[in-house]
Amino acid sequence: MEKDKQPFNGVLLVHKEKGMTSHDVVDQLRKILKQRSIGHAGTLDPMAEGLLVILLGQATKLSVYILNQDKSYSLKMQFGLETDTFDKEGKVLKQEAVSLKKEEIEKTLKASCGSLELKVPHFSAVKVRGRKLYSYARAGEEVEAPKKTMTFYDLKIHDIQPDQAQVSLSCAKGGYVRSWVNFVGEQLGVGACLIQMTRTASHPFHSSQSLRVSEIDSRLKEKFPKDEIELKTLLQDSFIYPSSALPDVFPVELTQRDAKALSHGQIPPYVIQSALSRQIEVNKTGQPQLIQAVQDWRLSALLEIRPFKKMKIIRNFTFS
């Protein structure tokens, strides 16, 4: 592959298909878009499908902010089945035929929302003694999986059978849906594991905006875009300009002169004046706030308003 000359910059919303890893998606997109600078904001298990947020070029610098957002899922769980991975891909630890009452399942599901101390899956990237949990699991080494606080909310029950349930719910950063399913099984006293899962949202983005890799490939084969504006025309809602990737962060529009000043580490007076009301709020609450400086579709910089201190540049962005 040729070295990047003018890589595309922005957020690409992809529908990952079952059986693919998140790395598979990134690898295919590198070939399709002809650039190396591509990452993702949150992996999705091979058995799962749905929204995968891909970051292109300078937008890879936004990973930490997008990763912090809540996510939503649609899922199906099997009762009476336990595995070492908390999903159907793992080694079966226990399996029995069960026939539960609908009312019992519904009551347990509703009681399993909120902030919970749950076991982290053994097949996860959480580190114990400097090693990722899945490395112990793959090596057949026993290690106690830690517990952590996970928050689940907005539960909707779609279908309940004597041995299965299909629901949708949202979770805060750091939540494992597999752990939640395992917890529900424990509460019912029969065990449970995840058998289907679709990520429907990685807020503020929704799966309805996403395209499959094959669809992206097909659209770009007809006419390969020369810049982000043409890429947006071809991919429409599935491509997000860097300046629109953080809709909850207050934007300040820049002139070309101000953008140049920011690129040299100087905060223009106009930016400071535009955020005066927010500076007053930050001084009252003591809670810092981010603002973004934008020029057209370009994101020039992220800045932090700090209580009773000068505004600080957190990150600069450079575009060709």
Side-chain angles (χ1 to χ4, degrees):
M1 185 180 298
E2 294 182 2
K3 185 179 179 181
D4 292 351
K5 292 183 180 179
Q6 290 185 319
F8 298 111
N9 303 284
V11 175
L12 185 57
L13 306 179
V14 177
H15 180 96
K16 188 192 83 67
E17 299 180 64
K18 291 180 183 177
M20 296 179 70
T21 66
S22 300
H23 180 75
D24 289 338
V25 174
V26 169
D27 190 50
Q28 290 183 27
L29 289 172
R30 282 175 174 158
K31 296 173 183 176
I32 293 170
L33 294 169
K34 303 175 184 178
Q35 73 179 59
R36 294 292 305 173
S37 182
I38 300 180
H40 58 71
T43 59
L44 199 53
D45 292 341
M47 69 156 285
E49 64 178 317
L51 180 62
L52 185 65
V53 179
I54 297 293
L55 307 175
L56 308 178
Q58 290 286 307
T60 55
K61 297 177 182 179
L62 298 174
S63 176
V64 64
Y65 306 103
I66 296 176
L67 275 170
N68 285 336
Q69 302 305 311
D70 293 3
K71 295 176 175 58
S72 299
Y73 299 90
S74 173
L75 60 105
K76 182 182 286 189
M77 64 186 79
Q78 178 74 45
F79 302 124
L81 177 62
E82 294 182 38
T83 72
D84 60 350
T85 59
F86 299 167
D87 63 39
K88 69 174 184 178
E89 303 294 309
K91 177 183 177 182
V92 175
L93 303 177
K94 174 186 172 184
Q95 186 169 14
E96 62 178 334
V98 298
S99 183
L100 301 172
K101 294 182 179 179
K102 180 179 179 180
E103 295 78 12
E104 181 184 8
I105 296 173
E106 186 172 359
K107 181 181 178 181
T108 301
L109 288 170
K110 290 179 177 178
S112 298
C113 287
S115 293
L116 308 166
E117 285 288 322
L118 302 183
K119 300 174 186 175
V120 172
H122 280 282
F123 283 82
S124 68
V126 172
K127 287 187 177 181
V128 174
R129 298 197 295 271
R131 287 174 59 189
K132 294 179 179 178
L133 270 178
Y134 64 70
S135 70
Y136 290 104
R138 289 172 180 170
E141 301 176 32
E142 291 190 10
V143 64
E144 184 71 22
K147 288 187 174 183
K148 62 178 294 189
T149 302
M150 306 182 199
T151 303
F152 299 88
Y153 63 97
D154 198 22
L155 172 74
K156 294 181 177 62
I157 300 172
H158 302 294
D159 183 56
I160 293 180
Q161 299 297 325
D163 63 346
Q164 288 186 351
Q166 187 168 351
V167 306
S168 60
L169 81 167
S170 297
C171 66
K173 178 194 174 186
Y176 288 90
V177 173
R178 288 176 289 158
S179 294
W180 183 79
V181 169
N182 179 71
F183 175 77
V184 171
E186 288 178 342
Q187 298 305 108
L188 287 167
V190 298
C193 85
L194 182 69
I195 59 174
Q196 287 182 18
M197 185 171 77
T198 300
R199 183 186 285 160
T200 56
S202 182
H203 301 278
F205 311 117
H206 195 272
S207 59
S208 61
Q209 299 171 261
S210 66
L211 291 173
R212 297 174 188 270
V213 172
S214 58
E215 293 175 300
I216 295 170
D217 188 28
S218 177
R219 293 189 187 194
L220 299 195
K221 274 184 176 177
E222 293 180 9
K223 179 188 177 183
F224 193 79
K226 67 181 180 183
D227 55 28
E228 286 84 356
I229 295 174
E230 287 192 0
L231 186 63
K232 178 69 173 175
T233 300
L234 291 168
L235 302 184
Q236 300 180 339
D237 288 346
S238 67
F239 178 72
I240 312 294
Y241 289 129
S243 57
S244 301
L246 302 174
D248 293 333
V249 178
F250 178 71
V252 176
E253 288 284 347
L254 300 177
T255 63
Q256 187 172 357
R257 180 178 179 179
D258 285 343
K260 187 175 181 179
L262 265 175
S263 70
H264 289 95
Q266 301 169 3
I267 302 178
Y270 173 73
V271 174
I272 297 172
Q273 292 167 6
S274 298
L276 277 179
S277 62
R278 291 179 177 269
Q279 180 70 66
I280 294 171
E281 182 182 348
V282 166
N283 290 345
K284 287 180 179 179
T285 64
Q287 299 297 317
Q289 286 187 23
L290 282 180
I291 64 170
Q292 55 181 331
V294 302
Q295 184 190 14
D296 299 325
W297 61 267
R298 296 173 177 84
L299 175 60
S300 294
L302 286 177
L303 305 99
E304 185 179 57
I305 305 174
R306 304 177 293 169
F308 301 103
K309 291 184 179 180
K310 292 181 179 179
M311 190 180 296
K312 179 181 178 181
I313 298 174
I314 299 297
R315 189 174 291 276
N316 267 316
F317 300 82
T318 56
F319 297 95
S320 302

